[in-house]
Amino acid sequence: MRTRIFITGGTFDKEYNELTGQLYFNDSHLPEMLDLGRNLVPVEIRTLMMVDSLEMNDDDRNLIAEHCRKSAEDKIIITHGTDTMAETARILAEKVSNKTIVITGAMIPYKFGSSDGLFNLGSALAFVQTLPPGVYVVMNGRYFNAGRVRKNKETGVFEEVEEG
Amino acid sequence: MRTRIFITGGTFDKEYNELTGQLYFNDSHLPEMLDLGRNLVPVEIRTLMMVDSLEMNDDDRNLIAEHCRKSAEDKIIITHGTDTMAETARILAEKVSNKTIVITGAMIPYKFGSSDGLFNLGSALAFVQTLPPGVYVVMNGRYFNAGRVRKNKETGVFEEVEEG
Amino acid sequence: MRTRIFITGGTFDKEYNELTGQLYFNDSHLPEMLDLGRNLVPVEIRTLMMVDSLEMNDDDRNLIAEHCRKSAEDKIIITHGTDTMAETARILAEKVSNKTIVITGAMIPYKFGSSDGLFNLGSALAFVQTLPPGVYVVMNGRYFNAGRVRKNKETGVFEEVEEG
Amino acid sequence: MRTRIFITGGTFDKEYNELTGQLYFNDSHLPEMLDLGRNLVPVEIRTLMMVDSLEMNDDDRNLIAEHCRKSAEDKIIITHGTDTMAETARILAEKVSNKTIVITGAMIPYKFGSSDGLFNLGSALAFVQTLPPGVYVVMNGRYFNAGRVRKNKETGVFEEVEEG
């Protein structure tokens, strides 16, 4: 059974534009990262959008939910900016059922050489194979249930919270 | 609950000696890799040996088994050379019970910049948190049960085999 | 005889702030880069400022010129943002004489793994040892005389121009 | 006027064979390194051999000398293993005249991520443009005249010696 990977952007896929000195999105690095990890879990990759997660709106989240519902695969990884990862998880948990959905990302762009992205991708692939249906945020080697996680803006790490 | 990590050597931790042009073992890179992955799973690391897995003998494997049995933690990751990973898994499965033991490694040394090590470490940490007690080899994004896995010497990838 | 290195900032020394997603200046990476290159040319490093070269003003350039004049060394390397490198070269050529001054920089930050910075530093160190007194911009493996160089904003490369 | 680059092997171009765990030669990384450095000095690259410099014999050195003599370009860079770089320099100095020949190499393979190769290539290109005709070894940011240099086997660095 294949695993579906949806790409939505985020720090993961940022690159450095040497003419403007700005960070920008080009193509996703997911295929390259899976090769580097010598991944042999069958995956099907599709880019849904390429945005900073701070710019992601309700329409974007509905689109992601729609793709998760329609996906033939019941194991889904979503790469996503870290800033609003917890919010997207909460919305997907309301709108999609009976699938294992893992949202992950990176604090440092993959192209910057010292990224956490490859580590996170490895753990996301492992968690999606083993966790029961539900929506999860996977960062820092841990998994968090949707609705019970937030990104600590001061430390940059993810932490568990009481369900609201 | 902490996860125990035992280091035994393998490609993971090889470095390049610029005076001799040979690969050799220096200190383990595990702590640096966990930092890079921004890991927050509590771990306790101990180096048991620093050997090529082709040079690992029965005494070495008995020592590893002994440490697994005595470990206070019931979740254990072992970093190991890939060549005899499957053999060590088989022996640990005979000698240790009621613990989740994940053996992982790398095809390319971490210090070489384009290593699969960080990906494998991420997936090992995720699998050790979620798989039931047993001994597993984790490579290529997948997990394999001890006794049912071999490294394909020609392709370098791990594959499932019928139990012997 | 020692070579003096003055650091002024520029892309060379930019880092990625993982909490804000912005590029910023922290400490200079020059000492680390010289170690990586196994440099044995005696150098004395001093940071004069840490700015984007687009934000560099006349006061900043006068300060750099002043330090070049007062420096005991007659071979000087200046790391600098690429956008106004040519302008600083022109001003230094007016204000400093009898010293070999090489201005260099990078299109990609050193911390991003695939930077041109190490290459440029290697060529800057070589040119400063061999070129006669004067002010030069060193990029793309080439050296250009002050007053006869500009950065092509569209291609990002440096090219020779007729003296104005 | 173009610069000629002859490739002869050495640590520069070593790669890691993940099936055997041995270092080996594949294609040269020179074109990739020149791109990374955004080099715009016109170069013409030719691979003469791919050997460890400890295995280089008189025939090999005669072949290199022959190519240097016949080359249309009078500026030549040779990438070479560091162990016998000084010996090749001495032989070329006897056999080739009226050309600026720079021999360089690396202590760490380029593919290993933290190589001195890019730094050395940058300085070799700069020295070959500025030094008078002669044969030079370029390492550690410095240039050494043929016949007056040796590699210190204990420290791995190049040092000047009295002419023999």
Side-chain angles (χ1 to χ4, degrees), chain D residues 17-118:
Chain D
N17 181 327
E18 67 186 66
L19 295 181
T20 65
Q22 303 296 306
L23 299 171
Y24 76 114
F25 292 113
N26 191 352
D27 285 339
S28 174
H29 304 100
L30 255 288
E32 183 185 340
M33 293 169 75
L34 291 167
D35 282 352
L36 187 57
R38 281 132 184 82
N39 176 60
L40 290 178
V41 177
V43 297
E44 194 73 20
I45 302 175
R46 177 164 176 178
T47 300
L48 298 185
M49 60 198 74
M50 269 293 195
V51 298
D52 272 316
S53 76
L54 287 173
E55 289 166 15
M56 201 179 268
N57 60 28
D58 286 351
D59 286 350
D60 295 326
R61 291 194 173 88
N62 287 333
L63 181 77
I64 297 170
E66 189 64 18
H67 278 280
C68 289
R69 268 196 307 268
K70 287 189 181 165
S71 155
E73 298 83 6
D74 58 10
K75 296 179 180 306
I76 300 171
I77 292 172
I78 300 169
T79 65
H80 194 287
T82 58
D83 285 319
T84 68
M85 206 175 254
E87 189 177 342
T88 301
R90 199 177 44 72
I91 289 176
L92 292 182
E94 289 167 12
K95 297 186 181 246
V96 192
S97 47
N98 297 323
K99 299 198 172 184
T100 301
I101 300 178
V102 162
I103 308 180
T104 195
M107 295 300 290
I108 301 271
Y110 171 67
K111 289 303 277 181
F112 290 12
S114 60
S115 170
D116 53 331
L118 195 62

Side-chain angles (χ1 to χ4, degrees), chain B residues 80-93:
Chain B
H80 194 287
T82 57
D83 284 318
T84 67
M85 205 176 255
E87 188 177 341
T88 301
R90 199 176 44 72
I91 289 176
L92 291 182

Side-chain angles (χ1 to χ4, degrees), chain B residues 18 38, chain C residues 18 38:
Chain B
E18 66 186 66
R38 280 134 186 81
Chain C
E18 66 186 67
R38 280 132 186 82

